[in-house]
Amino acid sequence: MNRTRRTEATDPELSHRLSRRNMLGVAAGATAAALLGAAATPAAAAAAAAGGSSAGSVTPDSRGAGHGRPVLPPGRLGIQLYSLRDKIAALGFAAVFAELRRFGYDEVEYAGYTQGVGGPLTLAELKRLTRDHGLRGIGSHVGYHADDPGAYTFAQNLDRVLDDAAALGLPHIGTASGPWRYGATVDGWKRCAEEFNRFGAEARKRGMKFYQHNHSEEFSFATDRPDVRLYDVLLAETDPDLVHLEMDVFWAYVGQYRYSRRPDGTPAPFDPLDYVLAQPHRYPLFHVKDGDRDDSAVPYGYRMTDVGDGDIDYRRFISAVNRTRHGRHAHHWQAERDNPVDSLDFARRSSAHLHSLREKGR
């Protein structure tokens, strides 16, 4: 079927990093009235996921058509709220949460605890708003380190970051920052791994899992050991019981495109899915982000799109993860797009596509 392609016109990785710096923060802000309506009943949410909503209908992607078991495990669809930062700033969490529940979402991953309207919002109020709209807070992104000793980061204010996450009742707390603090050498990444292990140990004391979210450059090679992939250093040097991974599937495939050859030109192919299948217990969270494969137009090999409009085969990817031990119960799938054209429409269409996917041969 013909599908409208919605693509990013700028450097997506740079835009993502610069914009996210302005989103990360801690509680200050306010609620707004639920301008877009109250949370829907489960039946209405299912209808929205199938394509019916005030934003317009969606025809399920033909690649997911069929009558087999849904690929998406029940109760495991979330969204990274960074994708909806414009609507949160304009309308408040309550209005956005109401729409997300109506679209069929179960979970949210925070990218800061502020909104742009009204008076102060406490963490307890944010937790209650999330719960009252039928959603669960599944995780949150916080910066890794900063030069300012007062910065709200893991390295500078670990106890405050973890205490806030515990107040929200989050099972996971992580960072979208790469382990670049000490450079791109093997020893530099080992030093970061030691810090990540410490963050993970402290998070575990509070009943949470610490995680790191990748971009594409984690799959590059060490400057002092061009035969060593840096992501492999991270995996080897972090304790699997303390440091978990949130694979951003889009950026992992960009990494595959950019770094399937070593600096000397020798082949070094990899499949992002293989990393997950080798250690599925290390990947409790995923970012479901899509892109058009394009060799010529962008240096990353993909143009970011709405979920379902791109070329990443999520039926294959999620199905393979589901087949691992406890696979349908051990992972959470968070839709994300860095700069959507219409963020609520992106959320609706992504849910509709992911709910439409069916396993092959069932």
Side-chain angles (χ1 to χ4, degrees):
M1 62 184 285
N2 292 325
R3 290 172 289 155
T4 301
R5 302 286 191 175
R6 303 183 177 198
T7 60
E8 310 290 65
T10 59
D11 179 331
E13 194 155 16
L14 180 60
S15 297
H16 174 88
R17 290 177 177 177
L18 294 178
S19 299
R20 191 177 287 274
R21 290 176 190 171
N22 297 326
M23 183 66 178
L24 295 170
V26 71
T31 64
L35 301 176
L36 302 178
T41 64
S53 88
S54 60
S57 63
V58 171
T59 301
D61 193 313
S62 60
R63 295 175 298 176
H67 303 287
R69 181 170 64 166
V71 166
L72 189 70
R76 294 302 175 113
L77 178 61
I79 192 165
Q80 166 50 252
L81 292 177
Y82 178 76
S83 302
L84 295 156
R85 61 197 182 278
D86 62 328
K87 294 298 191 293
I88 292 171
L91 303 172
F93 283 110
V96 171
F97 287 168
E99 289 296 273
L100 291 177
R101 189 57 182 160
R102 192 165 67 88
F103 296 159
Y105 285 92
D106 310 293
E107 302 172 338
V108 294
E109 183 183 32
Y110 300 103
Y113 312 136
T114 62
Q115 57 184 9
V117 295
L121 178 71
T122 68
L123 292 174
E125 289 170 332
L126 179 56
K127 180 181 179 181
R128 184 170 61 252
L129 273 179
T130 308
R131 183 189 62 233
D132 288 351
H133 286 88
L135 299 167
R136 295 186 298 274
I138 195 62
S140 180
H141 282 188
V142 176
Y144 167 18
H145 69 93
D147 294 332
D148 177 4
Y152 189 75
T153 64
F154 282 96
Q156 276 64 47
N157 282 287
L158 179 61
D159 286 339
R160 182 183 172 198
V161 168
L162 296 180
D163 288 346
D164 288 346
L168 284 166
L170 301 181
H172 308 89
I173 179 69
T175 184
S177 303
W180 304 103
R181 184 178 189 181
Y182 306 109
T185 65
V186 170
D187 284 344
W189 275 52
K190 286 182 177 180
R191 290 181 66 186
C192 290
E194 290 178 3
E195 294 185 346
F196 282 12
N197 284 333
R198 180 168 62 88
F199 303 158
E202 291 301 314
R204 188 165 70 170
K205 291 178 183 177
R206 293 165 170 81
M208 294 178 288
K209 293 180 179 179
F210 170 79
Y211 65 94
Q212 192 267 342
H213 163 287
N214 65 275
H215 292 88
S216 70
E217 290 180 349
E218 282 88 336
F219 298 95
S220 65
F221 298 92
T223 54
D224 61 332
R225 287 284 307 279
D227 59 324
V228 174
R229 194 182 301 280
L230 287 170
Y231 196 70
D232 296 337
V233 177
L234 177 65
L235 287 172
E237 297 295 329
T238 51
D239 185 332
D241 293 328
L242 300 178
V243 177
H244 299 81
L245 291 308
E246 176 179 61
M247 179 173 281
D248 185 304
V249 180
F250 170 86
W251 288 122
Y253 277 99
V254 171
Q256 180 191 54
Y257 175 85
R258 298 179 70 189
Y259 303 113
S260 283
R261 287 188 177 274
R262 297 183 181 88
D264 65 1
T266 59
F270 72 95
D271 185 336
L273 181 58
D274 288 343
Y275 275 106
V276 181
L277 299 184
Q279 300 186 70
H281 59 287
R282 297 203 71 176
Y283 293 88
L285 305 173
F286 292 89
H287 273 190
V288 180
K289 187 183 297 180
D290 213 343
D292 281 331
R293 186 74 164 80
D294 188 338
D295 289 329
S296 61
V298 290
Y300 296 112
Y302 288 85
R303 292 182 180 274
M304 203 176 293
T305 69
D306 285 357
V307 178
D309 283 349
D311 297 319
I312 297 176
D313 188 348
Y314 276 107
R315 176 164 63 178
R316 167 184 173 265
F317 196 100
I318 300 175
S319 293
V321 176
N322 286 344
R323 289 192 292 270
T324 63
R325 186 182 182 189
H326 307 307
R328 292 185 68 86
H329 308 287
H331 307 282
H332 304 261
W333 304 91
Q334 316 296 309
E336 186 186 32
R337 181 173 176 181
D338 294 355
N339 297 295
V341 176
D342 181 324
S343 59
L344 282 175
D345 190 49
F346 155 77
R348 179 185 62 82
R349 298 176 77 248
S350 298
S351 175
H353 173 72
L354 292 168
H355 279 101
S356 78
L357 298 178
R358 295 293 183 269
E359 292 182 354
K360 291 183 177 179
R362 299 183 70 93

